[in-house]
Amino acid sequence: MCNKNALRGSRIVCLLAAALAICILLSGCSGAVSNADDVKSDFSLTLPASASSEVLIESHGGFHGDGVTLIRYTFSQEDYDALVAQAQDGGDWQAVGPDGQLSDILLIDESEGFWAQNLPADGYWMYAGTPALDSTEEIYSYNFSVLVLDTDAEALYYYALDT
Protein backbone atom coordinates (compact mmCIF):
# COMPACT_ATOMS: atom_id res chain seq x y z
CA MET A 1 0.00 0.00 0.00
CA CYS A 2 2.80 2.35 0.91
CA ASN A 3 4.56 1.66 -2.39
CA LYS A 4 1.39 2.36 -4.38
CA ASN A 5 0.93 5.77 -2.72
CA ALA A 6 4.61 6.58 -3.14
CA LEU A 7 4.41 5.70 -6.84
CA ARG A 8 1.27 7.85 -7.29
CA GLY A 9 2.95 10.74 -5.45
CA SER A 10 6.07 10.53 -7.59
CA ARG A 11 3.97 10.58 -10.78
CA ILE A 12 2.21 13.74 -9.61
CA VAL A 13 5.55 15.34 -8.76
CA CYS A 14 6.90 14.42 -12.22
CA LEU A 15 3.82 15.82 -13.95
CA LEU A 16 4.02 19.05 -11.97
CA ALA A 17 7.74 19.36 -12.73
CA ALA A 18 7.09 18.80 -16.45
CA ALA A 19 4.27 21.39 -16.45
CA LEU A 20 6.53 23.89 -14.68
CA ALA A 21 9.36 23.27 -17.17
CA ILE A 22 6.98 23.85 -20.10
CA CYS A 23 5.71 27.09 -18.54
CA ILE A 24 9.27 28.33 -18.02
CA LEU A 25 10.26 27.49 -21.59
CA LEU A 26 7.17 29.13 -23.08
CA SER A 27 7.60 32.30 -21.03
CA GLY A 28 10.90 32.92 -22.82
CA CYS A 29 9.29 32.68 -26.26
CA SER A 30 8.10 36.14 -27.11
CA GLY A 31 7.34 35.38 -30.73
CA ALA A 32 8.32 37.62 -33.63
CA VAL A 33 8.92 41.24 -32.79
CA SER A 34 7.06 43.51 -35.17
CA ASN A 35 6.25 46.68 -33.21
CA ALA A 36 3.08 47.08 -35.30
CA ASP A 37 1.33 48.47 -32.21
CA ASP A 38 4.10 51.05 -31.78
CA VAL A 39 3.76 52.09 -35.43
CA LYS A 40 0.03 52.52 -34.91
CA SER A 41 0.32 54.47 -31.64
CA ASP A 42 3.26 56.68 -32.67
CA PHE A 43 2.16 57.44 -36.22
CA SER A 44 -1.56 56.54 -36.45
CA LEU A 45 -0.65 54.09 -39.19
CA THR A 46 -2.12 50.61 -39.25
CA LEU A 47 0.10 48.21 -41.13
CA PRO A 48 -1.73 46.12 -43.74
CA ALA A 49 -2.29 42.41 -43.25
CA SER A 50 0.34 41.64 -45.89
CA ALA A 51 3.07 43.27 -43.77
CA SER A 52 6.05 41.05 -43.20
CA SER A 53 8.64 42.16 -40.65
CA GLU A 54 12.35 41.54 -40.25
CA VAL A 55 14.10 42.69 -37.08
CA LEU A 56 17.44 44.20 -38.11
CA ILE A 57 18.46 45.61 -34.71
CA GLU A 58 16.99 45.13 -31.25
CA SER A 59 19.21 46.31 -28.42
CA HIS A 60 16.62 47.38 -25.84
CA GLY A 61 17.03 45.81 -22.44
CA GLY A 62 18.69 46.29 -19.12
CA PHE A 63 17.37 48.22 -16.17
CA HIS A 64 16.18 51.31 -18.06
CA GLY A 65 15.18 49.64 -21.31
CA ASP A 66 17.32 51.99 -23.41
CA GLY A 67 18.32 50.91 -26.87
CA VAL A 68 17.67 50.88 -30.58
CA THR A 69 15.01 49.05 -32.56
CA LEU A 70 15.12 48.80 -36.34
CA ILE A 71 12.54 46.75 -38.22
CA ARG A 72 12.08 46.43 -41.98
CA TYR A 73 8.55 45.88 -43.26
CA THR A 74 7.69 44.65 -46.73
CA PHE A 75 4.21 44.37 -48.23
CA SER A 76 2.27 43.01 -51.14
CA GLN A 77 2.67 45.25 -54.20
CA GLU A 78 -0.89 46.51 -53.84
CA ASP A 79 -0.41 47.48 -50.17
CA TYR A 80 2.98 49.03 -50.90
CA ASP A 81 1.50 51.15 -53.71
CA ALA A 82 -1.29 52.32 -51.37
CA LEU A 83 1.29 53.32 -48.73
CA VAL A 84 3.30 55.30 -51.28
CA ALA A 85 0.11 57.04 -52.46
CA GLN A 86 -0.71 57.95 -48.86
CA ALA A 87 2.80 59.37 -48.33
CA GLN A 88 2.60 61.35 -51.57
CA ASP A 89 -0.66 62.92 -50.37
CA GLY A 90 1.29 64.54 -47.54
CA GLY A 91 -0.13 64.58 -44.05
CA ASP A 92 2.67 63.92 -41.59
CA TRP A 93 4.91 62.42 -44.27
CA GLN A 94 7.89 64.47 -45.45
CA ALA A 95 9.85 63.80 -48.62
CA VAL A 96 13.44 62.66 -48.22
CA GLY A 97 15.36 65.65 -49.46
CA PRO A 98 18.75 67.27 -49.73
CA ASP A 99 18.26 69.30 -46.51
CA GLY A 100 19.84 66.49 -44.48
CA GLN A 101 17.28 66.63 -41.66
CA LEU A 102 16.50 62.91 -41.92
CA SER A 103 20.17 61.94 -41.95
CA ASP A 104 20.82 64.22 -38.96
CA ILE A 105 18.09 62.39 -37.04
CA LEU A 106 19.03 58.87 -38.05
CA LEU A 107 22.74 59.30 -37.45
CA ILE A 108 22.33 60.43 -33.83
CA ASP A 109 23.10 56.87 -32.76
CA GLU A 110 25.93 55.68 -34.98
CA SER A 111 26.80 52.74 -32.74
CA GLU A 112 24.57 50.37 -34.68
CA GLY A 113 25.96 51.50 -38.05
CA PHE A 114 22.95 50.55 -40.18
CA TRP A 115 21.88 54.02 -41.26
CA ALA A 116 25.40 55.17 -42.04
CA GLN A 117 25.38 52.62 -44.85
CA ASN A 118 21.69 52.56 -45.76
CA LEU A 119 20.29 56.10 -45.78
CA PRO A 120 17.52 56.23 -48.36
CA ALA A 121 18.01 58.47 -51.39
CA ASP A 122 14.30 58.60 -52.21
CA GLY A 123 11.19 58.19 -50.16
CA TYR A 124 9.24 59.67 -47.29
CA TRP A 125 9.56 59.84 -43.53
CA MET A 126 7.71 60.71 -40.32
CA TYR A 127 8.98 61.57 -36.85
CA ALA A 128 7.41 61.16 -33.40
CA GLY A 129 8.89 61.79 -29.96
CA THR A 130 11.28 64.02 -28.11
CA PRO A 131 13.04 66.25 -28.76
CA ALA A 132 10.75 68.18 -31.06
CA LEU A 133 12.26 68.52 -34.53
CA ASP A 134 12.50 72.29 -34.21
CA SER A 135 13.99 72.23 -30.71
CA THR A 136 16.97 74.52 -30.10
CA GLU A 137 17.56 73.29 -26.56
CA GLU A 138 20.58 71.20 -25.63
CA ILE A 139 19.51 67.57 -25.80
CA TYR A 140 20.51 65.12 -23.06
CA SER A 141 18.13 62.26 -23.82
CA TYR A 142 16.51 61.04 -27.01
CA ASN A 143 13.25 59.10 -27.10
CA PHE A 144 11.82 59.06 -30.58
CA SER A 145 10.61 56.94 -33.48
CA VAL A 146 11.02 57.46 -37.19
CA LEU A 147 9.21 55.76 -40.06
CA VAL A 148 11.16 55.74 -43.30
CA LEU A 149 9.46 54.68 -46.52
CA ASP A 150 12.37 53.83 -48.80
CA THR A 151 10.93 53.88 -52.32
CA ASP A 152 14.11 52.44 -53.86
CA ALA A 153 14.06 49.40 -51.58
CA GLU A 154 10.22 49.27 -51.54
CA ALA A 155 10.35 48.86 -47.78
CA LEU A 156 9.16 50.65 -44.67
CA TYR A 157 11.58 50.99 -41.77
CA TYR A 158 10.57 51.55 -38.17
CA TYR A 159 13.40 53.02 -36.10
CA ALA A 160 13.15 53.78 -32.37
CA LEU A 161 15.85 55.23 -30.14
CA ASP A 162 15.51 55.41 -26.36
CA THR A 163 18.35 56.87 -24.31
Side-chain angles (χ1 to χ4, degrees):
M1 182 97 165
C2 211
N3 288 339
K4 204 176 207 183
N5 286 336
L7 185 58
R8 184 179 303 147
S10 66
R11 283 183 184 165
I12 291 173
V13 168
C14 286
L15 286 173
L16 289 174
L20 180 62
I22 289 171
C23 289
I24 290 171
L25 288 173
L26 291 178
S27 70
C29 299
S30 62
V33 175
S34 77
N35 288 67
D37 291 338
D38 293 333
V39 170
K40 185 174 183 174
S41 66
D42 290 352
F43 301 102
S44 299
L45 178 69
T46 301
L47 297 176
S50 71
S52 173
S53 66
E54 176 186 3
V55 177
L56 302 176
I57 300 168
E58 179 52 74
S59 66
H60 283 87
F63 180 70
H64 296 287
D66 294 349
V68 173
T69 298
L70 179 62
I71 299 174
R72 176 185 311 144
Y73 293 97
T74 54
F75 311 94
S76 69
Q77 191 64 49
E78 181 181 340
D79 288 338
Y80 170 76
D81 292 342
L83 186 58
V84 170
Q86 178 186 358
Q88 289 172 338
D89 285 343
D92 293 330
W93 289 100
Q94 299 180 50
V96 171
D99 65 3
Q101 188 176 26
L102 178 61
S103 62
D104 289 346
I105 294 166
L106 294 178
L107 294 177
I108 286 172
D109 176 49
E110 295 182 53
S111 65
E112 300 298 341
F114 178 86
W115 289 116
Q117 320 258 324
N118 297 290
L119 283 170
D122 293 308
Y124 303 90
W125 63 282
M126 279 195 277
Y127 176 92
T130 56
L133 284 179
D134 57 359
S135 176
T136 58
E137 297 178 29
E138 191 169 350
I139 307 303
Y140 299 101
S141 178
Y142 294 93
N143 294 292
F144 64 82
S145 303
V146 178
L147 275 184
V148 178
L149 180 57
D150 185 340
T151 54
D152 290 333
E154 294 193 359
L156 177 72
Y157 294 90
Y158 171 79
Y159 175 78
L161 174 64
D162 301 310
T163 61

